[in-house]
DNA sequence: TTAAGTGCAAATTATTTGCAGTAAG
DNA sequence: CTTACTGCAAATAATTTGCACTTAA
C-alpha cells in the first residue's frame, strides 16, 4: 500500500536540497510532493495528514521539518493569518485565495492577475516580494 | 503639557464608534489619531508609546482596547507577519510596505499601484479584500 | 563513528480570559 | 445604580528549544 512513486519523489525532493532523507522527512515529503500537485498546509495540518496515514512522526519534528523545508527553499511561507503559519509547495511568486470562513489557503490563477504598476521601493531598499492575498467570504445562498 | 487637541480628537474618534471614552481608551486614542496622521502599530508598540508618555495602562487593556478598536472598525488589522498582529488607523484598502529587517509596517503610495485585472472569486464566494504587501529588504551600501 | 535528526517535555511568545474591583452614563 | 471597563494573574495557542537517544552517511 506504500506508494513507491510518492516516496521516490519525496526522496529526490529532499536530496535536491541537500536534506538527509530520514524516515520522517521522506514520509512528510511524500505527503507534500508525492503526486506532483501543489499543496498548501500548516504544521498542524501536515501532522494530521501524517497521523492519518499511520506515519510515526512527532509534532515537534513536523514543526522542525517544515522549518527546514522552508529554509532550504523547498516550500514558501505564505502570510495570511495572525496565529498560524501557512506554507505552499509552489515556491513561485503567485497570488492566493484565503477562505476566511474555513481558514483555508488555495492558489489563485496567476494569469488572471494583472499588476501594471507597483510602488517603487523607497531609497535604500529593494523589493523582496509582492504578496497578493485575495480574501474570500462565502456568499450565503438562500 | 497634555495635548488638548489630541485628546479631543481621540475622544471624538471613540464616541463616533460608540465606544465609552474611558481614561485609558482616550489616552491610547490620542496616541493613535491625535495628530490626524495614519499610524501603524502592534499592541506591544502602542503599549510602549503609552508607557513612554507616562500613561497608566496595563498591557491586557491595550490588547483588549486594540481588539475593541478593530471590532468597531476604527482600525484595520494588516496581516504581514506570522507572530504579531499589526494594525493601521487608515481603514481604507491600500497597499503596504513591510520592512523585513526592522519588522516595521508603513503605507505604500496607493496611486503608484495599478491592478488592472483580478482573479474572480470562485463560485459561492465573494472577495472580502485584496491585500497587497510589498516586502522590502534593505540594500546594503558599501 | 560522528554529525545530524528525532522526540519528548519544558520554555517561549503573543494573546485572551476569569474575576474582583473601578468608573462612566 | 448598573453595566461596561480595567488590571492583574492564570490560561491558551502556536511554535521553539534543551537534551538524551537514534540513525544516515
Amino acid at each position: 500500500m506504500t506508494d513507491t512513486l510518492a516516496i521516490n519523489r519525496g526522496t529526490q525532493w529532499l536530496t535536491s536540497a541537500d536534506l538527509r532523507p530520514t524516515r520522517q522527512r521522506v514520509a512528510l515529503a511524500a505527503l507534500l510532493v508525492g503526486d506532483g500537485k501543489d499543496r498548501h498546509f500548516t504544521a498542524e495540518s501536515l501532522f494530521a495528514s501524517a497521523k492519518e496515514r499511520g506515519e510515526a512522526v512527532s509534532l515537534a519534528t513536523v514543526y522542525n521539518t517544515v522549518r527546514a523545508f522552508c529554509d532550504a527553499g523547498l516550500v514558501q511561507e505564505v502570510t495570511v493569518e495572525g496565529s498560524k503559519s501557512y506554507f505552499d509547495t509552489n515556491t513561485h511568486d503567485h497570488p492566493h485565495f484565503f477562505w476566511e470562513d474555513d481558514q483555508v489557503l488555495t492558489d489563485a490563477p496567476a494569469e488572471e492577475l494583472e499588476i501594471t504598476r507597483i510602488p517603487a521601493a523607497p531609497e535604500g531598499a529593494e523589493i523582496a516580494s509582492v504578496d497578493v492575498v485575495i480574501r474570500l467570504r462565502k456568499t450565503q445562498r438562500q
Side-chain angles (χ1 to χ4, degrees), chain A residues 40 76-81 84-88 96 105 133:
Chain A
H40 300 84
Q76 193 76 55
E77 183 163 2
V78 183
T79 307
V80 279
E81 217 259 328
K84 284 175 211 165
S85 289
Y86 286 75
F87 300 89
D88 186 352
H96 286 102
L105 184 72
V133 176

Side-chain angles (χ1 to χ4, degrees), chain A residues 1-72:
Chain A
M1 210 74 261
T2 39
D3 187 341
T4 315
L5 174 62
I7 289 174
N8 285 343
R9 275 197 179 136
T11 308
Q12 272 180 39
W13 191 59
L14 290 170
T15 51
S16 77
D18 287 310
L19 287 178
R20 238 187 235 185
T22 64
R23 194 197 80 233
Q24 294 86 333
R25 285 180 176 176
V26 171
L28 297 177
L31 284 168
L32 293 179
V33 298
D35 63 359
K37 289 183 198 157
D38 291 338
R39 201 143 267 134
H40 300 84
F41 61 100
T42 63
E44 286 286 353
S45 79
L46 181 57
F47 179 62
S49 306
K51 236 164 98 174
E52 209 173 274
R53 290 232 188 155
E55 302 288 356
V57 193
S58 79
L59 182 57
T61 295
V62 173
Y63 270 105
N64 292 158
T65 301
V66 169
R67 188 60 46 209
F69 289 0
C70 203
D71 291 345

Side-chain angles (χ1 to χ4, degrees), chain A residues 105-125:
Chain A
L105 184 72
T106 61
D107 281 337
E111 65 279 7
E112 285 179 29
L113 178 69
E114 225 170 67
I115 300 181
T116 46
R117 204 158 145 248
I118 265 201
E123 188 64 34

Side-chain angles (χ1 to χ4, degrees), chain A residues 95-139:
Chain A
H96 286 102
F97 283 136
F98 184 65
W99 300 74
E100 296 194 327
D101 306 281
D102 321 311
Q103 305 265 99
V104 163
L105 184 72
T106 61
D107 281 337
E111 65 279 7
E112 285 179 29
L113 178 69
E114 225 170 67
I115 300 181
T116 46
R117 204 158 145 248
I118 265 201
E123 188 64 34
E126 60 182 2
I127 293 178
S129 69
V130 179
D131 294 2
V132 177
V133 176
I134 301 167
R135 282 167 200 279
L136 300 177
R137 179 185 299 138
K138 284 185 185 159
T139 46

